Amino acid sequence: MASSRRQYPFHLIEPKWQQTWEQQQAFRAFNPGDTVPVGHPFGVRHNLSGKVADRQLLPPKFYILDMFPYPSGAGLHVGHPEGYTATDILARYRRACGFNVLHPMGWDSFGLPAEQYAVKTGQHPRVTTEANIANFTRQIKSLGFSYDWSRELATTDVEYFKWTQWIFLKLYNSYFDHSSNIKKAMPMALLQDALSDSPTQQNEWSKSEVLVNLRKIIFEAAPEIRNKVRRFTEDQFRLAYVSEAPVNWSPDLGTVLSNEEVEEWTAKGHTVIRKPMRQWMLRITAYAEKLLADLDTIDWSDSLKEMQRNWIGRSEGAEVKFQISNSESQMTVFTTRPDTLFGATYMVLSPEHKLVGEITTAGQKQAVEDYKKFASGKSDLERTELAKEKSGVFTGAFAINPVNGEKIPIWIADYVLASYGTGAIMAVPAHDTRDFEFAQKFQLPIVQVVQPNDPKTNWQGFTDDGVAVNSGFITGLPTPKAKGKISAWLEEKGLGKKTINYKLRDWLFSRQRYWGEPFPIIWKKDAAGNLYHEALPESSLPLLPPSLEDYKPTPSGEPPLARAKDWLHLPDGSVRETNTMPQWAGSCWYYLRYLDAKNSAAFVGQEVESYWMGSEESEKRKAESGKTETTPGVDLYVGGTEHAVLHLLYARFWHKVLFDLGLVSTAEPFYKLVNQGLILGEDGQKMSKSRGNVVNPDDVLVEYGADAFRLYEMFMGPLQDTKPWNTRGVEGVYRFLGRVWRLFVDENSETEFEQAETVTTKEQSNQELLNLIRLNASIKDVAATPAQLKTLHACIKKVTEDLDGMRFNTAISAMMVFVNDAITWETKPLVVLRDFLILLQPFAPHLAEELWGKLNLQPSTFNLQHPMTLAYAVWPKFDAALLVESEMEIPVQVNGKFRDTIKVAVDADNAMIEAAAKASEKVQQFIAGKAIKKVILVPKRMVNLIVG
RNA sequence: GCCGGUGUGGCGAAAUGGCAGACGCACAGGACUUAAAAUCCUGGGACCGUAAAACGUCGUGUGGGUUCGAGUCCCACCACCGGCACCA
C-alpha cells in the first residue's frame, strides 16, 4: 500500500508511552506483603503508596492469563496478538475498575525446532531459544500490552525447570488412593510405611482400605521375594511409573509421542509406528473421574467441555466372564450392552491378548501367528485407512455363553483394541455395527435379541434401545430394564460386575530428546541384577542436561543424553535416566509460577498462591453477596482451541495432584476459559507461508501503529469466531483513531508540528515535538449539555456492558458513535472528553494517554485527581437518569406488520399511546374502514393493531 | 458415522421475541483543492415504480410450526467449519 500521510503521530506517541510505563513499572502487580514504591500509580489509586501491601489492604484480585507462546523463529503471527489484545483490554479495564490485576507473560521455550536446528548446526538450542525470545519480546512489547514483565519466565530457565523436576518428584512420590473415603493422591511414603516390616504411621494408613489390603498381600508373599514385590507394588501405584507397553515411535523424529500428539505429527508427514519401549508414564487415568466431574464447576465453552468429555470417554457397562471350553481359563469381556448377551455368537480377543497363545489350537497356530504379525506391522495410518475392512482369524477355541451354555467360537481381530476395556469382547453382530460387518465377512451367525420399537426398522445392525427378544428370562423387557436385570443376575452368579471404562490412557511422559527437562531419576541394580529406578533427592535439583557436541540420538537409538558418558554414569555405578520430559511438562504449571516467579524456596509461596487463586476470597464473597466478584483459579484464560485436550487436560491433572497434596488451594486451575478464533488470510484461507497470505504484525505496526492494530484485531468480529484479515479494515479503525486525534487537537498546531518534524534535529526530542501539538480550542472547561451527557453516558453504558461480556467489536462501535457525534459539537466540554479517554484507554492506550496528558495541562475547576498514568484512572459509572428521554419513539404495527413510528411522551399512558397510534396518517391507511379487533400494547415498546 | 458450532447486504458484522442490517469496509455523488491524496458531507438490502420521490411487495440457508408479532423459540432438512472416530 502506498504510504500516505499519517493520521496522527503514533510513531512518536507509542514508543514514548511504552518507555514511560516501563520506567514507572506501571503494570507491576503487587503480591501481599510487597512494598508499593512511593508514587506508584497503583499505590496512589489505592492509598498504598510507600506502604506494605497487606492482604487486607489490597483490592480484589483479578488474574488474567494468556496461553504463553512457543517462541518460534518465525516471530509473532497476527493470531497471537488477538488473544493478547483481548486480555490486555480486560486487564486495563479491571485495573480502572479498581482490581489488583495480575497479567503476566512468559515463554514455552522447550521444543523441537531449536533441537532440530542444533542437530543440523551444532548450535546449542539455548542460543537459538534466547534469540527467539528476544525477538518475541520486542514484538510483544511494541504492542503496548500491560504485562507485568517482572514476572516473566521461560520453561527453559534453570530456576523454572528446577521446579518442573520438583513437581515430577511429587508425582513420582505419590500414589492415588482409590479407597472410597479417600480418592486422592497421597504420599508414597505412606504406602511404603504400610508395606514395611516396622510401620510407624499405622494410624494414618489404616484409614485406607487400599493400603490395608496391600499390606495383607505383601505379607502373604514369601519373605525372600517380599522386597521385589514391594517395589513392584509401589510402581503399580506411583503417579509416575515406568511401562514397557507399545508406544508411538516415530523413526524420523527419533522420539516417541503421546497418543494425543500422534495426529499432529502424522499430519506433518512423519511416520509413527507402534513399538514396545520402556517409557515413563503419568497415571492421569486415576483422575479420569475428577477431570470429568469437575468440568461442571468451571466456566468453559460447551464445545470445549464436550471435547474433554469425549477424550476422557467415560462408558458404563459390565464385565462378563466366559468359561473357555475344555480349559481352566476364563476370558473377561467388557460390554455396555449386557442385555444382548443372548445374541453373542462369537468372541473376539485383541491380537495382543495374553490368552491368545494359550487357547489357540494346533491347527490354527500358524494362521494366528501370521495374523498377529500382520496386525502388529500395521502403522497407525494403515490402521485408519484399513479401518473399514475387517480382518481376523479363528483361534480354534470356544467359549461358553454363561446365559445359555452355548459354545461360541473365539476369534482374534485387530478391531478389538488391547488397550481398552479388557481387550476382549463378546460379539453381538445383530446389534453392533462392527460385529455385524465382521460376521458378514466371515459368515458368522447373526441372532436378533433386540426388537426396535418401530416395527418398520430393520433389526439387523440395530444398535439403539428396544425390547429384548430371544433372550430367555429377560425377553420382553425394554433395554434399560433388561440391562439391569441381567447385570444383577450376573453379579449374583459371580459371572460379572458393573464397570466403568474410560478411553483416556495414561500419559506417555518421556521423550528421546535433548532439549527438555531431564528426569531426576537414576537406575540401579539390586543383588539379583534387576534394574530398578530411584529418585534423586529434592536437594539435588536442578538436574542440568549435559553439554553435547552432537544432539542426534545415539546410533543404537538411545536418546542424545546417552552420549554424555560423564554425565550418564555416577560414581556409585548407577546410571541416569536419559529420557527427557515432553514440552507439555513446563506448560502444566507456569500459571502458578507467575504468582511468585522469583521464589527460590518454593515453586510458589502458599499465601501468595491462595491470594491470586482466590479460593477463600471467592467463597467468602459468594456467601456474603450471593455472587462472585472474584472467582477461584485463574479468572480468565484465553488461548487457541488447539490446546483443548492436550495442555488443558494435562494442566488440570497436575493441578489436581498438587491440590490433593495440599500444595495449591483450588481444585481447578482455570475458572473461565475462552478460545479465540482463528484469523485467516485476506483470501479467507488459513494463513501459511506456502499460500503467501501471512500477515506480519511488524508491517502493520509500521504503517498504522499499535493502537490501530489492537483496535482492528478486536473490531473484526467476536473474539471466538474465525474471521479473515482485511487490511482495508485496519485502515478503517486507523481513520477512527485519526478522528479521535482531531477531536482533541488544534489543526494549526498540527501543521506546525509536521513542519517542525521535517526539519527536526537529533537534539530535538520527540517530546518537544509532541509539545507543539495544542489542544483543540473548542474544548472548554464548561458544563456539558444534557444531550452531550446523554451521548457520553450511552457510550459508558455500552462499553462497560460489552467489556463485561467480552464483546469488544460492539464496544468499539459504541465509541465510534460517540466520536461521530462529539466531533460535531461546537463546544466540547473537558469533563466529557476526559471520561471518553478513560473508556478508550484499554483499547488504544498510547493515544489515550497522550491526549489525557494534553487535557490535564488545562486548568480545571473540577479538581480531579490526576494519576500519573491514565491506566489507573477510575472507570466512569453511567448514570441511567441521564439516558432517560422526554419522548420516546414507538413502532406501530398493523396485523403484525410495521407501518409507522409515533412519538409520545415517556410518561404517556396506554390509552394515549393507542390514540396516537390510531391517529398516525400512515396507520390510518391500513385501518380505515376496518374494525379494530384487538390492540396489543407492550408498554414503552410497541403497538400492534389487529384489524379484521 | 457421532459430538459441538455457524449460516443475515458486495465484504467484516449488529440486533432483552417488538422499526433487520448499528458500526466499519468497499462503492457512488458532492464540498474543499490548479489537481490529487487526506478530510468533510450525502446516499445505499432486493424488486416494482418514478425525472426524483412517495407508496407498495419481498427479504436473515431450505421447508414447516408456535405467536398479535420470529434473524431470535420449536420440529425436519441442507451447507459449511471444528473435534472425535473400530473405545465394545
Side-chain angles (χ1 to χ4, degrees):
Chain A
M1 61 221 80
S3 129
S4 50
R5 181 176 178 267
R6 277 193 198 90
Q7 289 274 348
Y8 68 100
F10 64 83
H11 63 301
L12 300 183
I13 295 173
E14 291 178 355
K16 169 185 163 186
W17 285 100
Q18 285 164 17
Q19 281 160 26
T20 308
W21 295 326
E22 190 146 346
Q23 279 157 17
Q24 290 180 348
Q25 293 189 60
F27 304 115
R28 187 179 150 194
F30 294 94
N31 281 354
D34 283 353
T35 302
V36 183
V38 175
H40 189 280
F42 176 82
V44 173
R45 165 85 188 260
H46 295 285
N47 198 24
L48 285 166
S49 184
K51 292 186 194 163
V52 173
D54 194 79
R55 186 159 173 171
Q56 274 69 45
L57 298 177
L58 280 170
K61 65 94 188 184
F62 195 82
Y63 185 3
I64 181 160
L65 179 69
D66 293 298
M67 286 186 187
F68 65 165
Y70 171 71
S72 73
L76 216 59
H77 184 270
V78 290
H80 287 117
E82 187 193 13
Y84 303 163
T85 303
T87 53
D88 192 60
I89 289 169
L90 292 172
R92 287 171 175 274
Y93 166 61
R94 291 286 175 164
R95 230 174 255 124
C97 290
F99 286 85
N100 188 18
V101 172
L102 177 58
H103 188 39
M105 179 48 75
W107 316 105
D108 188 12
S109 41
F110 277 122
L112 201 51
E115 177 158 341
Q116 284 170 330
Y117 191 70
V119 169
K120 251 188 277 173
T121 66
Q123 171 163 274
H124 196 287
R126 186 168 294 283
V127 177
T128 320
T129 303
E130 278 170 6
N132 290 349
I133 287 177
N135 187 42
F136 262 66
T137 305
R138 174 191 63 77
Q139 289 189 298
I140 288 181
K141 284 193 173 175
S142 71
L143 285 158
F145 295 134
S146 62
Y147 291 121
D148 176 356
W149 286 102
S150 73
R151 294 167 188 260
E152 177 182 359
L153 58 82
T155 53
T156 47
D157 291 344
V158 174
E159 267 308 294
Y160 183 86
F161 75 66
K162 168 185 170 181
W163 295 108
T164 309
Q165 291 171 328
W166 183 85
I167 295 172
F168 173 80
L169 289 182
K170 289 288 168 210
L171 289 155
Y172 179 86
N173 289 315
S174 302
Y175 76 100
F176 192 89
D177 196 314
H178 280 97
S179 306
S180 54
N181 58 330
I182 300 178
K183 288 201 182 299
K184 63 174 196 163
M186 302 286 282
M188 207 62 210
L190 190 66
L191 183 142
Q192 283 160 338
D193 189 71
L195 304 190
S196 75
D197 292 320
S198 45
T200 57
Q201 301 175 61
Q202 186 152 12
N203 283 345
E204 277 308 304
W205 56 255
S206 61
K207 293 175 200 157
S208 159
E209 356 166 320
V210 168
L211 293 188
V212 170
N213 275 336
L214 278 180
R215 182 176 179 83
K216 225 170 76 192
I217 293 165
I218 293 290
F219 283 90
E220 279 164 8
E224 61 274 17
I225 63 157
R226 210 169 276 163
N227 274 337
K228 203 178 162 192
V229 176
R230 280 191 180 116
R231 219 154 52 210
F232 177 79
T233 309
E234 286 172 17
D235 287 354
Q236 291 295 299
F237 279 79
R238 287 184 192 284
L239 291 180
Y241 66 98
V242 172
S243 150
E244 287 279 353
V247 294
N248 309 300
W249 166 257
S250 172
D252 39 340
L253 286 170
T255 187
V256 298
L257 299 169
S258 73
N259 291 327
E260 290 85 343
E261 288 173 307
V262 170
E263 156 91 40
E264 182 190 338
W265 292 100
T266 50
K268 289 180 186 166
H270 296 274
T271 24
V272 176
I273 57 165
R274 302 287 290 178
K275 179 179 170 185
M277 282 176 79
R278 177 179 62 71
Q279 295 296 330
W280 284 93
M281 308 289 289
L282 297 187
R283 206 178 298 281
I284 191 172
T285 49
Y287 281 84
E289 196 56 53
K290 286 190 186 190
L291 288 169
L292 186 67
D294 287 357
L295 284 173
D296 295 335
T297 69
I298 50 183
D299 185 6
W300 295 13
S301 73
D302 287 341
S303 67
L304 196 72
K305 285 186 181 182
E306 214 39 45
M307 274 190 230
Q308 292 224 337
R309 286 193 193 106
N310 289 340
W311 194 266
I312 296 166
R314 184 182 198 271
S315 154
E316 275 183 48
E319 281 185 0
V320 185
K321 278 186 216 163
F322 284 69
Q323 188 60 46
I324 293 171
S325 186
N326 303 321
S327 161
E328 295 293 295
S329 301
Q330 293 177 322
M331 62 181 284
T332 306
V333 301
F334 174 72
T335 178
T336 55
R337 294 295 299 270
D339 61 300
T340 61
L341 194 46
F342 286 88
T345 57
Y346 64 101
M347 310 292 286
V348 188
L349 296 173
S350 68
E352 301 90 344
H353 199 284
K354 274 184 292 199
L355 272 177
V356 174
E358 182 188 326
I359 63 169
T360 303
T361 59
Q364 290 300 102
K365 200 167 175 73
Q366 192 55 47
V368 166
E369 284 308 312
D370 289 350
Y371 184 75
K372 281 178 74 168
K373 207 173 274 173
F374 159 78
S376 67
K378 276 189 193 176
S379 73
D380 276 34
L381 197 67
E382 286 166 327
R383 274 195 176 221
T384 32
E385 269 178 8
L386 298 172
K388 304 228 157 51
E389 193 59 26
K390 293 280 180 291
S391 66
V393 293
F394 178 43
T395 62
F398 291 84
I400 311 290
N401 189 332
V403 286
N404 54 18
E406 270 176 36
K407 267 177 77 174
I408 52 182
I410 304 173
W411 288 61
I412 62 169
D414 68 354
Y415 83 91
V416 173
L417 307 175
S419 51
Y420 183 77
T422 60
I425 61 154
M426 63 175 204
V428 184
H431 307 295
D432 180 280
T433 317
R434 298 148 300 182
D435 298 345
F436 185 58
E437 282 171 16
F438 192 85
Q440 283 184 312
K441 176 157 178 186
F442 293 101
Q443 278 145 39
L444 291 156
I446 299 168
V447 175
Q448 182 191 14
V449 287
V450 179
Q451 177 58 44
N453 293 323
D454 179 352
K456 282 180 293 201
T457 307
N458 184 3
W459 61 265
Q460 299 213 7
F462 175 79
T463 57
D464 289 338
D465 285 9
V467 175
V469 293
N470 306 325
S471 292
F473 61 94
I474 58 165
T475 297
L477 292 177
T479 301
K481 281 197 175 146
K483 276 186 191 171
K485 187 160 180 185
I486 198 148
S487 300
W489 183 86
L490 287 166
E491 206 139 342
E492 191 192 307
K493 301 261 171 185
L495 293 168
K497 58 171 197 271
K498 281 192 182 164
T499 316
I500 294 163
N501 258 307
Y502 299 92
K503 280 199 268 185
L504 185 69
R505 303 295 144 76
D506 277 340
W507 174 12
L508 178 79
F509 193 66
S510 42
R511 299 291 184 276
Q512 292 68 47
R513 289 184 187 160
Y514 174 77
W515 194 225
E517 301 87 347
F519 282 79
I521 293 286
I522 52 173
W523 290 86
K524 295 187 163 175
K525 272 186 187 157
D526 66 12
N530 299 310
L531 265 185
Y532 67 94
H533 47 77
E534 201 174 274
L536 294 175
E538 287 176 12
S539 59
S540 72
L541 301 181
L543 170 61
L544 302 175
S547 48
L548 290 182
E549 302 275 305
D550 185 349
Y551 298 91
K552 280 197 285 291
T554 69
S556 61
E558 278 182 279
L561 291 189
R563 289 179 179 273
K565 300 287 178 237
D566 292 351
W567 180 87
L568 190 64
H569 297 283
L570 278 80
D572 68 353
S574 51
V575 179
R576 290 193 194 277
E577 171 64 58
T578 54
N579 283 302
T580 54
M581 299 184 200
Q583 198 180 352
W584 309 109
S587 59
C588 266
W589 71 285
Y590 74 110
Y591 59 94
L592 291 168
R593 188 60 182 173
Y594 282 140
L595 307 180
D596 206 3
K598 300 283 189 295
N599 193 331
S600 56
F603 79 116
V604 59
Q606 282 209 338
E607 201 198 334
V608 171
E609 187 276 335
S610 83
Y611 171 73
W612 286 114
M613 296 301 276
S615 49
E616 297 162 40
E617 223 173 311
S618 104
E619 287 310 310
K620 217 164 57 194
R621 267 168 225 281
K622 248 188 241 168
E624 280 168 8
S625 62
K627 59 173 185 177
T628 39
E629 196 176 331
T630 59
T631 48
V634 173
D635 296 87
L636 179 67
Y637 192 23
V638 175
T641 347
E642 66 271 21
H643 296 116
V645 279
L646 297 151
H647 161 60
L648 288 172
L649 200 64
Y650 295 154
R652 290 181 66 216
F653 163 50
W654 277 37
H655 195 88
K656 286 185 178 305
V657 175
L658 295 172
F659 177 64
D660 284 352
L661 299 176
L663 297 166
V664 298
S665 59
T666 64
E668 282 288 332
F670 314 119
Y671 174 69
K672 185 181 168 89
L673 184 133
V674 172
N675 288 124
Q676 86 263 22
L678 205 62
I679 294 183
L680 306 173
E682 295 214 56
D683 54 0
Q685 302 278 88
K686 210 166 177 167
M687 281 193 197
S688 76
K689 250 190 220 158
S690 58
R691 287 202 186 85
N693 60 354
V694 176
V695 179
N696 181 346
D698 285 345
D699 300 339
V700 181
L701 251 62
V702 168
E703 196 81 16
Y704 305 103
D707 283 335
F709 181 78
R710 293 167 58 111
L711 211 58
Y712 177 63
E713 289 248 352
M714 294 298 102
F715 189 62
M716 291 167 83
L719 182 64
Q720 293 88 340
D721 289 7
T722 300
K723 49 224 170 244
W725 183 267
N726 176 3
T727 299
R728 308 311 292 263
V730 189
E731 285 173 28
V733 291
Y734 179 53
R735 275 204 285 266
F736 162 68
L737 292 178
R739 278 164 78 80
V740 172
W741 177 254
R742 293 189 293 276
L743 178 66
F744 282 83
V745 308
D746 177 71
E747 279 192 60
N748 295 330
S749 73
E750 213 181 348
T751 314
E752 291 164 31
F753 159 82
E754 277 170 3
Q755 286 163 350
E757 199 189 7
T758 57
V759 298
T760 190
T761 60
K762 280 230 169 84
E763 294 78 55
Q764 227 171 349
S765 71
N766 291 342
Q767 185 55 56
E768 283 171 50
L769 279 173
L770 285 171
N771 284 345
L772 294 173
I773 303 281
R774 289 188 302 272
L775 215 51
N776 194 316
S778 62
I779 298 175
K780 298 204 175 96
D781 198 354
V782 296
T785 66
Q788 289 170 333
L789 282 177
K790 202 169 125 187
T791 300
L792 173 68
H793 282 256
C795 184
I796 296 173
K797 180 173 193 280
K798 183 79 178 141
V799 172
T800 305
E801 289 172 355
D802 283 351
L803 283 179
D804 287 335
M806 296 181 72
R807 294 179 296 267
F808 305 101
N809 54 334
T810 50
I812 293 166
S813 99
M815 290 190 287
M816 289 172 168
V817 170
F818 172 87
V819 171
N820 288 346
D821 188 23
I823 212 155
T824 66
W825 298 344
E826 260 174 52
T827 300
K828 302 174 180 96
L830 192 62
V831 274
V832 172
L833 294 193
R834 203 193 304 259
D835 277 355
F836 170 72
L837 284 180
I838 301 174
L839 301 182
L840 181 67
Q841 182 268 135
F843 299 85
H846 311 87
L847 175 61
E849 288 268 21
E850 181 66 21
L851 295 173
W852 178 258
K854 295 236 176 281
L855 263 197
N856 289 329
L857 290 174
Q858 293 297 103
S860 170
T861 53
F862 291 91
N863 194 29
L864 291 172
Q865 277 200 341
H866 301 160
M868 61 173 74
T869 146
L870 170 56
Y872 287 87
V874 177
W875 192 259
K877 280 203 162 33
F878 75 90
D879 183 350
L882 295 170
L883 296 177
V884 173
E885 313 256 356
S886 58
E887 279 192 321
M888 56 184 176
E889 286 194 348
I890 290 185
V892 181
Q893 299 176 353
V894 177
N895 286 351
K897 277 195 177 156
F898 168 75
R899 295 302 178 188
D900 195 13
T901 53
I902 51 169
K903 271 194 178 170
V904 294
V906 270
D907 52 359
D909 62 21
N910 290 354
M912 288 160 73
I913 294 171
E914 190 180 328
K918 286 176 185 162
S920 149
E921 249 180 70
K922 287 177 188 166
V923 170
Q924 276 295 324
Q925 296 173 24
F926 294 94
I927 60 172
K930 292 175 185 155
I932 293 175
K933 290 203 293 202
K934 197 173 169 188
V935 176
I936 292 151
L937 197 150
V938 184
K940 294 182 197 273
R941 294 223 69 107
M942 54 77 59
V943 183
N944 189 3
L945 304 173
I946 309 300
V947 297

